Amino acid sequence: MTARIIVVGNEKGGSGKTTIATNLAVLSALNGIDTLLVDADPGQKSSALWASHRLEGHPDYPRISCVERSDGRTIGPVIEDLATRYQALIIDTGAVDSPALRACAMVADTLIVPVQPDALDVWALPTIANIYDRAQQLNPKLQARIVVNRILHQSAERAPAELREWMLQETPTLATHPFTTLVARAAYGRATGEGVGVCELKGRELDAKAANEMRAVYEAISQ
């Protein structure tokens, strides 16, 4: 059995890739899926650090296996090999012309594109659209999911609609794929700092809205 391969990527740094990748890995594990988190961002190693912190601080929580890979453009065969050993692979890629992102897209089932509704993130979308278009030509099964991330509360309804309208003009091949949204909430940072998913926060730390938003992202990639 070959794993479902999910790549979280954007050439723009700071878009929230690691937060999304780690939370999706948690939800996958909680659903009883044998999941591997792949940290393909050797410059930051954020997912690997999160996984290590989780193992040390919460050994009783569902274990998230994590490997670091710095193969760059040659990572494709490595990912295909790992996919024979797990049920799901979630790959956190680097930014700034990441060869790993391009290579992973060639073998992935889903490309998750986090984008904040601000000018710098939006201006970077044509680059990721080009990566998606080229990968999809050689990997027809590849689908995209757009996550509009860190939206301000006051623009939670308006921002996604405005972004989709812009994308329909500038990046139409991405704009036709499902959109989900994550409002800027402190719970995401607290969860990351504790090495857990936002849905695993308890007591006064629990933020049901944040947990439901992340579940919606997970459900979107499960379609």
Side-chain angles (χ1 to χ4, degrees), residues 140-211:
K141 72 178 186 297
L142 180 65
Q143 296 293 310
R145 298 292 184 266
I146 312 303
V147 181
V148 191
N149 194 22
R150 296 174 180 157
I151 306 173
L152 297 178
H153 290 265
Q154 58 267 35
S155 59
E157 295 184 6
R158 184 183 74 252
E162 292 178 347
L163 177 61
R164 185 188 289 272
E165 183 177 355
W166 184 90
M167 290 176 66
L168 284 169
Q169 296 297 319
E170 304 296 333
T171 59
T173 54
L174 286 181
T176 57
H177 291 278
F179 280 55
T180 51
T181 60
L182 297 175
V183 173
R185 302 184 192 277
Y188 295 116
R190 290 199 300 269
T192 297
E194 292 185 23
V196 301
V198 72
C199 63
E200 294 177 304
L201 292 172
K202 298 177 181 179
R204 296 178 61 183
E205 297 296 313
L206 176 64
D207 186 328
K209 291 182 178 179

Side-chain angles (χ1 to χ4, degrees), residues 64-105:
I64 307 294
S65 298
C66 181
V67 297
E68 297 178 52
R69 301 301 311 190
S70 57
D71 309 86
R73 63 176 56 87
T74 63
I75 198 174
V78 175
I79 295 301
E80 290 180 308
D81 177 63
L82 290 171
T84 66
R85 310 180 204 177
Y86 294 87
Q87 293 176 300
L89 265 60
I90 298 175
I91 308 169
D92 180 15
T93 62
V96 190
D97 193 25
S98 167
L101 168 57
R102 297 170 186 266
C104 287

Side-chain angles (χ1 to χ4, degrees), residues 48-58 192-195:
L49 289 170
W50 173 89
S52 177
H53 190 59
R54 177 185 182 85
L55 183 60
E56 293 176 5
H58 302 279
T192 297
E194 292 185 23

Side-chain angles (χ1 to χ4, degrees), residues 1-16:
M1 182 176 180
T2 302
R4 183 179 181 86
I5 302 173
I6 299 159
V7 181
V8 185
N10 192 331
E11 297 279 274
K12 169 69 171 57
S15 59

